[in-house]
Amino acid sequence: MRVNLTVNGRPQTADDVWEGESLLYVLRERLGLPGSKNACEQGECGSCTVRLDGVPVCACLVAAGQAEGREVVTVEGLADFARRRAEGGCAGGSRDPGDCSGAAADAACASETPSGAASGGATAAGVGLDQARAWRPKPADPAELAPIQKAFIDAGAVQCGFCTPGLLVAADELLERNAEPSDADIREALSGNLCRCTGYEKILDAVRLAAARAERAV
Amino acid sequence: MAEVTRTPVDISQGSRTRGGIGESTPRPDGTLKVTGEFAYASDLWHEDMLWGHTLRSPHAHAEIRSIDVSEALAQAGVYAVLTHEDLPAETKHYGLEIPDTPVLAQGRVRHHGEPVALVAADHPETARRAAAKIRVDYVELPVVTDEATALAPDAPLLHPDREDGHADHVPHPNVLHRQPIVRGDAAAARERADVIVSGEYELGMQDQAFLGPESGLAVPAEDGGVDLYIATQWLHSDLRQIAPVLGLPPSMVRMTLSGVGGAFGGREDVSMQIHACLLALRTGKPVKMVYNRFESFFGHVHRHPAKLWYEHGATRDGRLTHVKCRIVLDGGAYASASPAVVGNAASLSIGPYAVDDVDIEALALYTNNPPCGAMRGFGAVQACFAYEAQMDKVAVELGLDPVEFRQRNAMSQGAVMPTGQVVDSPAPVAELLRRVKAMPLPPERQWETAGGAADVRALPGGLSNTTHGEGVVRGVGYAVGIKNVGFSEGFDDYSTARVRLEAIAGEPVAIVHTAMAEVGQGGVTVHAQIARTELGVTQVTIHPADTQVGSAGSTSASRQTYVTGGAIKHACEAVRARVLELGRARFGSYHPAWATAELLLEGGKVVTDGGEVLADLVDVLEGESVDIELEWRHRPTQPFDRVTGQGDGHVQYSFAAHRAVVEVDTELGLVKVVELACAQDVGKALNPLSVVGQIQGGTAQGLGLAVMEEIVVDPRTARVRNPSFTDYLIPTILDTPTIPVDVLELADAHAPYGLRGVGEAPTLSSTPAVVSAIRAATGLALNRVPVRPEHLTGT
Ligand code: FES
Ligand code: FES
């Protein structure tokens, strides 16, 4: 089957999708967006968390067909999403139905969205071998990162980083809803995201840091 | 050499070079990881790529009469189906220490989930469905599941033809390895004891549960070899096992590390490496394999479940007289790292205590349970759970405070280990206990709100709780542990580093190339810090890890910062000496300091120890580059004597202590760990932020073992019952409390920068501290982990 959806503000089409394929598989293997991770593919770990029309979901539990015509934000589009939210404009996957939903808004998003972090395009998939052969450090340019991404780096909340994309999407959504979350709020919001490396303490630190910075910036 | 990209750190103008050791510099891969651009092994893609899938045995022990692949092969989209008959070389087995693991089962399967056949197809679902069409005719055999069945007179032998280095030293062929340690005279010392306390303890099978599944991409090469992109802990160890099975010289198997999503020991053994290469070579196409979580539980070895028996004696004034113990580890169907795990369990079995008279036996069994091998803490975890429970018990018997009792018997620098090895670096055991005890306690009844009502989220069981705190009691418990750093027992535990210094775009840049696997621990961060410190440059590029440079050894045993860090430090020193030689030749005649002063590299310049700048590094290099590769070794160790266990077997020891505060709902049998404080000596914190992160992560894994984590194996069938994250529970952010950390830095004079391996020690004492706290809260004996609700309610 064919699936049409908007990912990080760009209209995308995936062809020859099998009935049983998940949104996660389509994102990772058909649309060249491997940022959402595949740690359990059973909805238990949160590594694949993306926003579907603004709502955080496990992409591994969403059948590809269910995403037809809807808007998805992945970690690859998080910085752009946060930037446009901060600017008060269309953020591509907002919860607020009056803010950015429907076909007209999609078109507006698409026209002003840069190509994003990953290659996009419905034919590319995964990560090429040149990248596999040579990872390279990249400058942490605050202007290119969402505040929550910057906070994760600064707080030391990234170790192996496999849980990180899902946690970032979930934490960003929490801060969007609740600018001053208590520790209990943070724990509740992130309880669906497993991390095996950090012991979570620095993840809490990162969310607190992002919240504190936002408060200072106001 | 690949192109050089700048590191994220600003160039400092002063003479000091920023981002050196001791600073909490950010991870060089951090930005890639937070933007989703970091290429993990499961993300790889190649045009025309196929997907590999493994057919695994549904039985734990069975004879294979026949395998029929014709129907599977006939499926559209299927390119190859392989069984043991398709293996191209004489060598059909592999293994870390003993090559007893079949690449694909031949005639017999020995554990549930053992690989039997492989499929390559154009879609992962096609591969899975084709695998389901392979017909295997099994005849089930009786299963060996514990010591009694393994050592029974008529027990089936798991490896009847074993020819390994241990076979002569074991009492029964189903004993995989055995290590006794006898020192002093435990029987005579027993006579001096005023109290004697014994106990039996048991630990379930824990899983590493790293989040990034086993994955890799094998690409056939034009020369008939293969390029493998893989998530592993030790490229060269994999290579040593892969090449012979493929029938290729090692030079034709080129391996590159891909992004690794955690490891914790679970990637030390080969999993899908050989399978992917076989499929790629057979089909002539790139083949990607990615385990799902179900398969991951079968795809790697686990922590050894253990049964332990201990006896401690002590005098009325609180001095230990002797320790006797017997530790039985379940090694499962294949050897993996079991012999080394046994050596660790034995040599660290009495904990960080000074006792002269000991009688120790540790052994591992071959059974039909899932194979067990390396996991963070490696044999020391099991022992620590038992000896710390014993320490609490003896303290109660003597009426002493448990911390005070431990401190009276704590080892210190100069102590003699049961193996006879003298501990010749700081061993601040009593001090670590003092520090965790001195930390402020969290408030009582922390679940109570200002209005006196219960915040159910903070109660044991959280929101699903049905009481309001009526049955909740608090307990506090302590534990301390000792772990060895590095590979032991005479293993040649070296690392190789290549360091190049050159000028790029008018600035000096160091390029560090090692084969170290970055699995999330932050090695790449400290490697750059070391190069900055030693070479006085800001820009450091970490070359991707591959087999084009010599082995770095394993990313395990808390050894990489010590050993590969040490190799980089020494390579940098050699580069520095060469640079100064060049400088002397070029500029020596202009300034006498070149010949007379102590010279340093700082801020991209050559400076005297008085701070006078002699030259820019870029001018010294003058278009040349200095490039040095060397192997570096720590001081050698010795094997343990097979009978007495004596020998200087370990490189270094590390120590951590925990204090756990728990609240237990005694009616529901639910535990909330309120706080888990840790004090650890790290010798020197090369990156304090990373060090604390490692300690917190290790602590959380210990908590998991204490109260929730266990692979449940059916004792009648030896089948795994819970291979999923639905049923195998790892701590969530709701289960994990705050983990305050107190880091002590007492330098080890023998180690680079005085450092001490960090990663494992916190996993040891975390588990017994939590259980000790639950005992304190409930008064129950609790001799088994994980502690389950029924253990607490007695139902
Ligand atoms: S991969 Fe989707 S929840 Fe684990
Ligand atoms: S799982 Fe590795 S950083 Fe969270």
Side-chain angles (χ1 to χ4, degrees):
Chain A
M1 67 181 168
R2 164 176 287 198
V3 180
N4 301 291
L5 68 173
T6 302
V7 184
N8 299 329
R10 288 187 99 198
Q12 300 268 24
T13 303
D15 282 318
D16 300 326
V17 173
W18 277 43
E19 291 300 323
E21 271 177 29
S22 64
L23 172 61
L24 181 63
Y25 186 89
V26 168
L27 290 170
R28 289 176 52 77
E29 306 295 341
R30 295 191 181 276
L31 302 180
L33 293 167
S36 311
K37 294 301 167 210
N38 54 329
C40 74
E41 299 177 58
Q42 278 190 320
E44 296 290 346
C45 73
S47 308
C48 61
T49 306
V50 300
R51 295 181 70 172
L52 185 63
D53 287 345
V55 180
V57 296
C58 294
C60 68
L61 290 187
V62 176
Q66 285 177 289
E68 173 66 35
R70 299 172 78 179
E71 287 184 35
V72 177
V73 176
T74 72
V75 71
E76 286 100 336
L78 194 61
D80 193 41
F81 181 76
R83 191 157 42 241
R84 298 198 297 132
R85 179 176 57 211
E87 286 162 4
C90 162
S94 167
R95 290 196 127 197
D96 179 0
D99 182 286
C100 178
S101 64
D106 288 353
C109 286
S111 65
E112 62 182 76
T113 305
S115 63
S119 52
T123 51
V127 176
L129 285 189
D130 38 338
Q131 274 165 280
R133 209 172 275 129
W135 74 269
R136 289 281 179 255
K138 219 181 134 189
D141 180 351
E144 286 181 11
L145 297 177
I148 191 69
Q149 291 172 314
K150 185 82 179 63
F152 262 61
I153 293 176
D154 294 344
V158 180
Q159 290 188 19
C160 86
F162 209 81
C163 65
T164 305
L167 275 161
L168 288 169
V169 172
D172 184 66
E173 193 270 345
L174 165 69
L175 292 173
E176 182 181 297
R177 271 190 285 125
N178 179 352
E180 293 173 46
S182 67
D183 283 5
D185 295 335
I186 301 172
R187 288 184 191 275
E188 196 172 330
L190 302 184
S191 61
N193 292 78
L194 296 177
C195 172
R196 190 53 158 171
C197 301
T198 61
Y200 301 106
E201 188 95 332
K202 301 213 172 297
I203 292 171
L204 279 155
D205 286 347
V207 180
R208 293 183 196 119
L209 180 64
R213 282 175 176 168
E215 194 177 357
R216 272 204 306 277
V218 174
Chain B
M1 175 57 63
E3 63 154 337
V4 175
T5 313
R6 302 192 173 193
T7 63
V9 182
D10 294 341
I11 294 165
S12 76
Q13 296 306 314
S15 66
R16 258 188 59 75
T17 310
R18 281 169 54 192
I21 63 161
E23 295 176 42
S24 291
T25 48
R27 301 181 64 93
D29 53 5
T31 309
L32 292 168
K33 285 178 173 175
V34 299
T35 52
E37 291 170 80
F38 188 74
Y40 293 93
S42 57
D43 302 339
L44 304 180
W45 180 83
H46 197 291
E47 209 159 337
D48 214 17
M49 161 184 104
L50 302 176
W51 292 78
H53 186 76
T54 319
L55 178 73
R56 293 174 181 274
S57 167
H59 307 296
H61 199 192
E63 188 191 325
I64 297 177
R65 287 276 172 77
S66 63
I67 307 176
D68 177 1
V69 303
S70 51
E71 205 182 328
L73 206 46
Q75 302 295 306
V78 170
Y79 283 71
V81 182
L82 306 183
T83 69
H84 71 91
E85 288 181 0
D86 301 295
L87 294 174
E90 282 286 294
T91 311
K92 296 182 178 3
H93 293 74
Y94 66 91
L96 276 181
E97 296 187 46
I98 303 169
D100 65 355
T101 312
V103 174
L104 291 170
Q106 182 176 359
R108 186 177 174 190
V109 288
R110 294 178 181 79
H111 69 89
H112 182 201
E114 181 162 345
V116 174
L118 304 169
V119 180
D122 57 7
H123 190 285
E125 189 58 29
T126 311
R128 269 193 289 275
R129 291 184 188 179
K133 296 203 182 300
I134 300 172
R135 304 261 166 268
V136 186
D137 183 10
Y138 293 102
V139 178
E140 281 193 72
L141 299 170
V143 289
V144 171
T145 54
D146 56 15
E147 191 179 10
T149 54
L151 305 188
D154 56 348
L157 299 186
L158 270 296
H159 296 275
D161 311 319
R162 60 184 287 186
E163 285 177 38
D164 57 67
H166 312 295
D168 294 342
H169 299 274
V170 296
H172 185 285
N174 279 343
V175 173
L176 200 167
H177 185 54
R178 175 176 177 270
Q179 180 65 63
I181 300 180
V182 191
R183 186 167 181 82
D185 186 342
R190 194 176 197 272
E191 300 295 315
R192 296 198 308 275
D194 296 315
V195 297
I196 291 177
V197 169
S198 62
E200 279 181 49
Y201 304 92
E202 190 178 342
L203 297 94
M205 186 185 290
Q206 191 182 17
D207 190 69
Q208 298 84 354
F210 43 74
L211 281 204
E214 286 90 342
S215 315
L217 174 65
V219 185
E222 277 179 9
D223 64 353
V226 60
D227 292 283
L228 180 63
Y229 300 86
I230 186 73
T232 182
Q233 283 175 243
W234 187 358
L235 289 166
H236 286 79
S237 164
D238 287 2
L239 178 60
R240 180 178 57 76
Q241 296 169 77
I242 296 169
V245 184
L246 300 179
L248 292 172
S251 61
M252 286 173 73
V253 181
R254 292 157 293 258
M255 299 181 58
T256 303
L257 186 77
S258 285
V260 185
F264 316 113
R267 297 186 209 266
E268 195 151 74
D269 297 66
V270 165
S271 58
M272 41 61 65
Q273 285 87 328
I274 299 171
H275 296 162
C277 291
L278 286 169
L279 289 170
L281 289 167
R282 169 62 79 96
T283 60
K285 285 171 175 285
V287 174
K288 168 168 162 171
M289 291 185 94
V290 179
Y291 287 176
N292 60 25
R293 184 55 51 184
F294 174 83
E295 200 173 7
S296 179
F297 275 100
F298 295 103
H300 59 257
V301 301
H302 315 289
R303 187 193 300 293
H304 291 76
K307 292 207 165 105
L308 309 94
W309 176 88
Y310 269 76
E311 178 185 287
H312 281 73
T315 55
R316 199 44 67 206
D317 64 349
R319 305 273 159 197
L320 287 170
T321 54
H322 72 286
V323 184
K324 285 168 74 170
C325 72
R326 183 163 192 276
I327 300 173
V328 180
L329 303 163
D330 186 343
Y334 298 108
S336 180
S338 285
V341 174
V342 168
N344 261 20
S347 59
L348 304 171
S349 61
I350 71 161
Y353 302 107
V355 186
D356 292 331
D357 300 285
V358 299
D359 184 353
I360 295 160
E361 180 189 29
L363 53 87
L365 302 168
Y366 275 127
T367 68
N368 292 115
N369 293 324
C372 289
M375 182 173 168
R376 194 177 202 168
F378 203 83
V381 162
Q382 292 89 334
C384 188
F385 172 60
Y387 64 66
E388 285 302 87
Q390 282 285 106
M391 295 304 278
D392 278 348
K393 259 181 149 176
V394 182
V396 167
E397 200 65 28
L398 293 173
L400 282 173
D401 173 79
V403 170
E404 159 72 18
F405 173 61
R406 283 175 172 81
Q407 286 171 324
R408 272 189 210 180
N409 293 285
M411 67 157 58
S412 51
Q413 185 162 357
V416 180
M417 295 291 290
T419 55
Q421 184 164 19
V422 176
V423 178
D424 61 357
S425 65
V429 179
E431 172 66 7
L432 292 173
L433 283 162
R434 190 191 69 72
R435 282 172 179 248
V436 277
K437 194 172 179 185
M439 288 192 205
L441 280 163
E444 291 281 344
R445 297 168 74 86
Q446 44 83 36
W447 41 269
E448 212 163 51
T449 61
D455 177 351
V456 287
R457 290 180 303 185
L459 277 166
L463 284 174
S464 57
N465 186 30
T466 52
T467 73
H468 292 81
E470 306 84 284
V472 174
V473 285
R474 173 174 283 201
V476 179
Y478 293 87
V480 59
I482 177 171
K483 176 72 185 52
N484 60 321
V485 172
F487 284 11
S488 301
E489 300 186 52
F491 191 87
D492 185 15
D493 188 26
Y494 70 94
S495 182
T496 314
R498 180 171 185 168
V499 175
R500 181 158 79 168
L501 187 64
E502 64 183 5
I504 294 174
E507 279 168 45
V509 178
I511 296 136
V512 176
H513 188 183
T514 74
M516 177 208 68
E518 168 63 43
V519 302
Q521 84 280 20
V524 289
T525 323
V526 296
H527 289 177
Q529 291 177 268
I530 291 170
R532 285 192 201 103
T533 300
E534 297 300 327
L535 297 175
V537 299
T538 301
Q539 293 191 46
V540 180
T541 293
I542 303 296
H543 193 282
D546 57 30
T547 50
Q548 308 298 310
V549 66
S551 176
S554 183
T555 300
S556 59
S558 307
R559 66 180 279 290
Q560 279 296 16
T561 303
Y562 190 129
V563 185
T564 300
I568 293 168
K569 178 172 188 279
H570 282 81
C572 287
E573 284 165 2
V575 167
R576 184 169 63 211
R578 179 84 190 106
V579 165
L580 293 177
E581 249 171 62
L582 283 176
R584 247 172 240 121
R586 288 208 173 114
F587 304 109
S589 55
Y590 300 113
H591 199 304
W594 278 101
T596 55
E598 185 81 18
L599 300 183
L600 310 166
L601 305 185
E602 274 186 4
K605 299 175 195 318
V606 180
V607 298
T608 67
D609 54 356
E612 191 182 354
V613 176
L614 294 186
D616 279 343
L617 267 179
V618 172
D619 297 331
V620 174
L621 289 166
E622 211 186 31
E624 285 181 47
S625 67
V626 176
D627 192 331
I628 289 175
E629 176 176 330
L630 53 74
E631 280 176 8
W632 185 75
R633 288 168 167 76
H634 51 67
R635 15 175 213 172
T637 60
Q638 298 167 355
F640 299 131
D641 183 275
R642 284 288 167 80
V643 177
T644 65
Q646 299 301 292
D648 290 355
H650 294 311
V651 180
Q652 184 190 56
Y653 298 98
S654 68
F655 307 91
H658 277 95
R659 180 190 68 197
V661 179
V662 306
E663 283 173 354
V664 183
D665 188 317
T666 50
E667 289 167 19
L668 298 173
L670 299 173
V671 175
K672 168 140 189 107
V673 182
V674 175
E675 190 200 74
L676 198 39
C678 182
Q680 182 170 345
D681 176 22
V682 303
K684 164 79 186 168
L686 264 55
N687 186 312
L689 188 68
S690 302
V691 158
V692 172
Q694 283 293 306
I695 293 172
Q696 290 168 335
T699 297
Q701 289 188 348
L703 180 158
L705 178 59
V707 295
M708 59 181 74
E709 289 186 40
E710 181 175 10
I711 294 184
V712 180
V713 182
D714 187 313
R716 287 167 301 114
T717 61
R719 289 201 186 108
V720 178
R721 281 176 167 168
N722 58 341
S724 74
F725 276 169
T726 313
D727 298 313
Y728 182 91
L729 303 178
I730 69 173
T732 70
I733 197 168
L734 288 173
D735 303 309
T736 312
T738 50
I739 305 172
V741 174
D742 188 355
V743 173
L744 193 59
E745 294 182 88
L746 300 178
D748 175 354
H750 309 286
Y753 306 114
L755 70 84
R756 230 174 247 289
V758 176
E760 293 178 286
T763 313
L764 271 59
S765 43
S766 166
T767 307
V770 169
V771 180
S772 172
I774 303 174
R775 283 190 202 105
T778 61
L780 296 167
L782 304 177
N783 291 337
R784 184 185 200 281
V785 285
V787 175
R788 299 197 176 282
E790 58 268 31
H791 301 150
L792 298 174
T793 57
T795 51

